[in-house]
Amino acid sequence: MQNSKDLNKVHVLIVGAGPAGLAAAIHAKKNNPEFDVCVIDKAFGAGNHNLSGAVLEHEPLHSLLDSAADGWRESKEAKDVLAQTITSEIIPFMPSSKIVFDLLFVIKIAKWLGLGLGGMIHKGDYAVSISKLCKWLTRIARDAGVEVLYGFAAQDIIFDKNTGLTTGIKLVDQGLDKEGNKQPNYLAGDIINADFIILAEGCDGLLTEKLIEKAKLERKQPQLFSLGIKELIRVRPEQYQKFGANRVVHAMGYPIWTPILGPAIFGGGTIYPGTDNHLAVGMIVGADWKYYDFNPQDALTKFKDHKFVKQFIESGTIVESGAKLIPEGGFHAIPRDPQTNSIGKGNCLIIGDGAGFVNMLKIRGIHLAIDSGIQAATAIISSVADPETTAVKYTELIDKGLVGKEMKSAANYRQTIAKFGPTLGFPISIISNLLPKFTIEEDYKAMTEAKYKFKPQRNFDKDAFTAAAATEHREEEPCHLEILDIDTCEWECATKFDRPCITFCPAGVYEIVDGKAKAANPSNCLHCKTCQRKCPFDNIKWTVPEGGGGPRYRRM
Ligand code: SF4
Ligand code: SF4
């Protein structure tokens, strides 16, 4: 592995090797081969921290590869990653554990009428593994001459408030013990300086939030999140055939939303085809759930037990699992400079999920991530002489282009459901863009003392879940999860909500130790950041662990 000291100054530094960051790197290097372009990522290897459903609209990816990778359609990666083009889909509504009916015809009518909900049709898109996609894009980036470095975790961003420019990033220190003392293998985190910095960290990025604070960027509405839980299941060939290699399912209703009787949580279950008799089964739940005892993994279990789902996966073997947050706040939650409107500041740009580029009407964001990476590279190429104008140029490209168009079209959709709940919110959302901007609260404020009613018979096996995510950290490193005020846990949270972090953390990181809540198993952490956004007292801070830690997704 290259030492970061060799890289103490580069032209373009990209933090995060997801689809957005890699697209930016490939486009920048291909269009200006003189640039030193470097991508750093905290994961152990390519694709290890990338998890998504995932449905991918093809245009931005095709346009990136057509200009950057001759003959890419014939490559073995293209034939593997893009093997599944969606030709059919079902949008089941599940009012109970046994009943199901397909709403596709309603969505087709919505499309015919030109309503936003019509965007939920996925015919012609790819069903992909985003881990595999990122591995492939890493190879293309490296072939183009980009330095892509894994195991490099960034801890801070160096922003000069006098000039409004970002000069570099600081890597995390390695080799501290649990108490923070230096061990023999201690290595202070280097600083990597750069002319341009692109933050492509994905949802709820650490450096992105630091830039927002240091550069005083603002969101017009708070960012909202959903938690996605996913399992990749190897099923029998006849089950796979019955499901179909080119079909996707986006379900609504049970077990997270049953109109009138409740519960009422935004989201739904998904089933996507993989290759080699694998089906990816997922559950997406709005992080504004109000039930203090709700574990999203229980909802996944109940979804898998529904007779419609069970027929495809019964007796299957879980081969991989994982969890991550999805940014859902949409157009009004994009962080911008109040003076210039720029998404970023000066020579530092925020792209992809980090900026919140997910179109919730379509439930898709990877194509926007790739497009935003291309636009960021384009803006940088035209700003060599005046780097302080880069974020403004980038934002003009974003707002006038594909990303801006899609984000505006869904601007009020998720907020409408957050405001009115799914039962009223879904029908009202049809006219959401005609409604004024709502005042909505952060997800963590939504928790109440209400109980979730569909508890499965069996406890969810969180150990097996984390084992299938292959997550690990150095056992001796300092805990990267900070509970800010333990008294709040004991005197407010325990009595009111029974310490929900213990229930909702998908990796079982939090436990009661000596009568107190504690992040007892940080080495199990999946880096999903749910605790940071769902602790009802906003009492958890996720800091970055040493590079190379975390899950090791390969096919998610
Ligand atoms: Fe409650 Fe948050 Fe403390 Fe966990 S960390 S016990 S959720 S206040
Ligand atoms: Fe996710 Fe927090 Fe649990 Fe880590 S500790 S897996 S970030 S909820």
Side-chain angles (χ1 to χ4, degrees):
M1 182 186 285
Q2 182 167 0
N3 191 301
S4 55
K5 286 193 192 304
D6 307 338
L7 293 164
N8 53 13
K9 180 77 193 269
V10 294
H11 291 117
V12 183
L13 175 63
I14 299 164
V15 183
L22 290 166
I26 291 166
H27 198 72
K29 188 71 185 173
K30 275 286 173 183
N31 287 283
N32 189 341
E34 300 303 310
F35 274 161
D36 297 322
V37 182
C38 175
V39 185
I40 60 164
D41 193 286
K42 63 184 167 56
F44 180 79
N48 283 171
H49 283 189
N50 303 103
L51 178 149
S52 179
V55 167
L56 168 65
E57 267 185 39
H58 60 264
E59 274 176 30
L61 178 72
H62 286 193
S63 126
L64 173 76
L65 297 180
D66 284 344
S67 66
D70 292 342
W72 65 268
R73 283 182 174 79
E74 305 315 315
S75 68
K76 71 177 185 335
E77 292 110 321
K79 287 179 181 157
D80 179 34
V81 178
L82 307 180
Q84 264 98 14
T85 300
I86 299 164
T87 55
S88 75
E89 58 196 297
I90 305 182
I91 304 184
F93 178 66
M94 299 172 165
S96 75
S97 63
K98 296 202 166 46
I99 305 168
V100 60
F101 50 87
D102 191 1
L103 287 180
L104 186 61
F105 74 98
V106 178
I107 305 299
K108 281 188 172 165
I109 292 171
K111 187 168 184 183
W112 183 72
L113 291 172
L115 299 174
L117 284 179
M120 285 186 190
I121 306 252
H122 296 91
K123 204 168 172 183
D125 297 341
Y126 297 120
V128 297
S129 151
I130 194 173
S131 310
K132 286 186 184 177
L133 174 68
C134 290
K135 199 167 175 187
W136 178 28
L137 292 178
T138 296
R139 202 266 296 155
I140 291 171
R142 284 178 171 156
D143 287 353
V146 175
E147 227 26 282
V148 190
L149 305 172
Y150 288 97
F152 282 64
Q155 176 182 293
D156 206 354
I157 185 152
I158 302 159
F159 175 74
D160 183 339
K161 62 178 184 322
N162 295 321
T163 61
L165 294 173
T166 302
T167 56
I169 61 104
K170 156 108 174 54
L171 298 174
V172 76
D173 297 342
Q174 311 255 58
L176 297 170
D177 69 12
K178 276 186 191 304
E179 282 71 44
N181 303 313
K182 294 175 185 170
Q183 293 185 307
N185 60 343
Y186 173 75
L187 201 60
D190 287 329
I191 287 172
I192 306 179
N193 295 301
D195 296 327
F196 300 94
I197 293 182
I198 300 179
L199 298 177
E201 298 172 283
C203 186
D204 204 14
L206 184 81
L207 265 52
T208 305
E209 292 306 314
K210 288 193 175 186
L211 179 77
I212 290 170
E213 201 184 318
K214 290 182 185 191
K216 298 193 171 25
L217 308 185
E218 290 175 6
R219 295 183 168 100
K220 290 199 170 126
Q221 281 183 333
Q223 185 57 279
L224 300 174
F225 300 93
S226 269
L227 171 61
I229 305 271
K230 180 174 169 183
E231 289 179 343
L232 190 67
I233 302 175
R234 188 169 53 242
V235 300
R236 295 192 301 277
E238 59 274 22
Q239 287 174 307
Y240 184 78
Q241 235 172 12
K242 188 176 181 186
F243 181 81
N246 302 94
R247 182 162 73 149
V248 292
V249 168
H250 289 98
M252 291 195 272
Y254 179 88
I256 58 170
W257 171 44
T258 56
I260 302 166
L261 298 175
I265 303 174
F266 174 80
T270 59
I271 315 176
Y272 296 148
T275 49
D276 305 325
N277 298 322
H278 289 92
L279 294 178
V281 181
M283 174 56 64
I284 297 170
V285 293
D288 53 349
W289 76 73
K290 59 185 178 190
Y291 311 97
Y292 77 93
D293 61 343
F294 177 63
N295 174 13
Q297 290 161 318
D298 286 345
L300 177 64
T301 303
K302 294 298 254 182
F303 178 66
K304 285 163 62 184
D305 285 347
H306 192 288
K307 71 169 193 176
F308 171 76
V309 181
K310 204 170 184 173
Q311 61 180 323
F312 303 120
I313 59 165
E314 190 167 22
S315 310
T317 307
I318 298 165
V319 295
E320 211 165 313
S321 59
K324 89 175 269 278
L325 283 185
I326 305 158
E328 297 190 341
F331 185 74
H332 300 303
I334 297 170
R336 293 178 186 261
D337 180 359
Q339 265 87 50
T340 63
N341 215 29
S342 62
I343 307 166
K345 180 87 178 176
N347 61 340
C348 185
L349 319 177
I350 308 172
I351 68 174
D353 274 16
F357 296 153
V358 172
N359 179 344
M360 282 309 294
L361 272 169
K362 290 182 164 182
I363 333 168
R364 275 170 283 189
I366 304 172
H367 66 300
L368 301 183
I370 292 171
D371 188 71
S372 68
I374 294 170
Q375 305 311 334
T378 305
I380 285 174
I381 289 162
S382 67
S383 305
V384 176
D386 44 5
E388 68 283 356
T389 63
T390 322
V392 170
K393 286 180 187 154
Y394 161 66
T395 305
E396 281 168 7
L397 293 170
I398 288 291
D399 283 343
K400 275 196 239 139
L402 175 78
V403 178
K405 186 170 151 244
E406 290 209 13
M407 294 302 290
K408 280 175 208 155
S409 75
N412 257 349
Y413 170 67
R414 180 66 179 88
Q415 280 80 1
T416 307
I417 297 165
K419 186 82 180 168
F420 297 101
T423 305
L424 271 178
F426 275 123
I428 295 175
S429 72
I430 292 170
I431 53 155
S432 62
N433 268 7
L434 302 176
L435 302 175
K437 183 164 71 69
F438 301 118
T439 308
I440 48 162
E441 296 194 313
E442 288 93 344
D443 291 320
Y444 74 88
K445 292 181 180 163
M447 196 166 279
T448 68
E449 290 163 74
K451 275 177 170 271
Y452 175 68
K453 72 181 198 187
F454 293 124
K455 285 275 173 191
Q457 303 284 333
R458 53 192 190 276
N459 280 338
F460 192 90
D461 187 344
K462 296 195 183 203
D463 288 340
F465 190 84
T466 48
T471 190
E472 56 181 82
H473 297 81
R474 192 170 63 82
E475 288 291 339
E476 290 310 310
E477 70 180 284
C479 179
H480 66 282
L481 297 143
E482 196 184 333
I483 295 183
L484 303 173
D485 177 16
I486 197 69
D487 286 346
T488 301
C489 302
E490 302 319 307
W491 298 112
E492 295 191 65
C493 189
T495 46
K496 202 167 178 199
F497 299 129
D498 198 20
R499 304 176 179 109
C501 55
I502 295 169
T503 307
F504 67 63
C505 166
V509 167
Y510 296 91
E511 285 182 6
I512 296 178
V513 178
D514 299 330
K516 294 194 167 158
K518 185 176 178 191
N521 310 301
S523 58
N524 284 356
C525 179
L526 299 168
H527 297 199
C528 73
K529 321 250 181 89
T530 308
C531 50
Q532 175 162 263
R533 295 298 169 186
K534 194 56 191 172
C535 163
F537 294 94
D538 195 17
N539 195 23
I540 295 177
K541 193 164 147 217
W542 191 95
T543 64
V544 71
E546 289 183 2
R552 294 192 183 176
Y553 304 135
R554 293 178 300 121
R555 289 175 287 190
M556 295 303 262

